[in-house]
Amino acid sequence: MEIDLHQRPHRRFNPLTGEWILVSPQRALRPWQGQVERVTEARRPTYDPQCYLCPRNLRANGDRNPNYRHTFVFVNDFSALLPDTPRVEIEEHPLLRAVTMPGECRVLCFSPRHDLSLAEMEVEDIRRVVDVWVEQTNELGKRYRWVQIFENKGEIMGCSNPHPHGQVWALDAIPNEVMKEHLQQTRYYQEQRRSLLLDYLAVEKQRAERIVVENEYWLVVTPYWAIWPFETLLLPKIPMLRLTDLKKPHRWTLAEILKRLLTAYDRLFQISFPYSMGWHGAPFIEESVLGWQLHAHFYPPLLRSATVKKFMVGFEMLAEAQRDITPEQAAERLREGLPF
Ligand code: H2U
Ligand code: ZN
């Protein structure tokens, strides 16, 4: 029987995590009765004397930021992980297990300009951010199994400060989301002797309908199994284990594609688009990481307008993730906002 996935409820499989997601495209056809209000965002000053990320300002712990010109990295004054933590396993009972965890948390200011976002920065300055991502991964990867580079952007995402910044957390364990991807990519490699994500990239190139933007070295798709309405996956077109594999041309083209993708996001609802994004690459472990392919996830919470957010509640908390608008529709909407 011919089935149109754009009409019928169905589940899609995420080979990267081994999980399923429920898609209900027929619900996206229902009339939208709420207002699609335009949010006017106040223009921020280029420098805010109250901002703890702006150059020359005082931070919570009493340190003063240098008069930095491009990027600036500092140890998070409220770090969730601490380097001088010994590694001890505590098992008071087989059902009560814990392990102390050494790690480090850093804050990375993308620019001295308080009023910009990554999307609004020059490609050259975005490339400087890419360089710092690489340096941080390289340095912390020598001491920790996992280095998580991420950006949490927008008040709606719980980001406390609009000054453009991201974070780096390193810890000596493989976190849950990463472990799922590690197991799936490793299993695929053992069976196929090829990379799961590079095979996926080839399929998406062929189908084209989920491609948002691409350039010489990078491709952005709304993955077939996307959970968030406008979720995207950014991946290099050639084998890359980690950010530390990126050479000059890869970094430039990455900066360029980030500029295009993030501008398209901003144009979608005419606001500085909120999201959580982050990098996944091979963990720093002794076991084989041959199946790994570097990639970044963009998880934006917005659904229909600048203020209508998708909530992961009810069925999603208790059963599995669900979406209405299909990834194919989302890709089409995003392509419309591409600047060049
Ligand atoms: P978010 O708004 O994305 O959470 O990032 C701000 C981070 O900056 C947050 O993790 C840290 C917070 O702990 N911070 C400092 O390190 N020093 C300060 O003076 C204030 C905030
Ligand atoms: Zn600032």
Side-chain angles (χ1 to χ4, degrees), residues 98-272:
V99 53
T100 51
M101 188 49 52
E104 288 175 48
C105 298
R106 297 174 180 175
V107 179
L108 155 58
C109 299
F110 295 154
S111 161
R113 285 272 301 269
H114 186 78
D115 59 324
L116 296 182
S117 68
L118 258 191
E120 294 160 327
M121 287 164 56
E122 301 291 340
V123 171
E124 191 184 338
D125 291 323
I126 301 176
R127 206 223 63 225
R128 294 177 200 273
V129 173
V130 171
D131 287 343
V132 178
W133 284 342
V134 175
E135 283 161 22
Q136 291 292 315
T137 306
N138 190 32
E139 185 208 322
L140 291 162
K142 294 196 168 85
R143 277 177 282 142
Y144 299 102
R145 289 187 168 86
W146 185 249
V147 181
Q148 184 61 60
I149 305 272
F150 67 98
E151 179 190 4
N152 203 26
K153 174 171 175 254
E155 235 171 296
I156 203 168
M157 295 301 292
C159 176
S160 56
N161 188 330
H163 192 114
H165 69 284
Q167 300 193 39
V168 186
W169 290 27
L171 73 165
D172 203 27
I174 304 183
N176 297 336
E177 290 306 310
V178 185
M179 185 55 94
K180 288 185 230 167
E181 294 190 355
H182 176 64
L183 295 175
Q184 289 297 111
Q185 291 182 101
T186 301
R187 181 179 313 155
Y188 189 91
Y189 185 81
Q190 283 165 353
E191 287 166 7
Q192 310 285 336
R193 293 285 139 191
R194 288 192 312 269
S195 144
L196 186 159
L197 279 179
L198 285 173
D199 276 5
Y200 175 62
L201 184 132
V203 176
E204 290 293 25
K205 283 281 287 176
Q206 223 172 31
R207 311 273 156 119
E209 60 177 342
R210 278 173 296 273
I211 298 180
V212 175
V213 56
E214 63 179 311
N215 64 19
E216 190 181 357
Y217 289 113
W218 300 89
L219 181 86
V220 179
V221 293
T222 53
Y224 185 76
W225 52 81
I227 289 179
W228 296 94
F230 294 95
E231 173 177 338
T232 55
L233 177 69
L234 162 63
L235 58 164
K237 291 179 172 178
I238 53 174
M240 298 266 182
L241 283 181
R242 313 182 169 96
L243 279 168
T244 47
D245 289 347
L246 302 186
K247 302 285 177 282
K248 240 183 172 176
H250 313 130
R251 298 182 193 198
W252 272 108
T253 48
L254 172 56
E256 191 240 24
I257 208 159
L258 282 169
K259 174 92 184 169
R260 288 161 78 189
L261 172 65
L262 296 177
T263 304
Y265 269 140
D266 282 0
R267 288 182 178 179
L268 193 60
F269 299 131
Q270 275 111 47
I271 49 149
S272 186

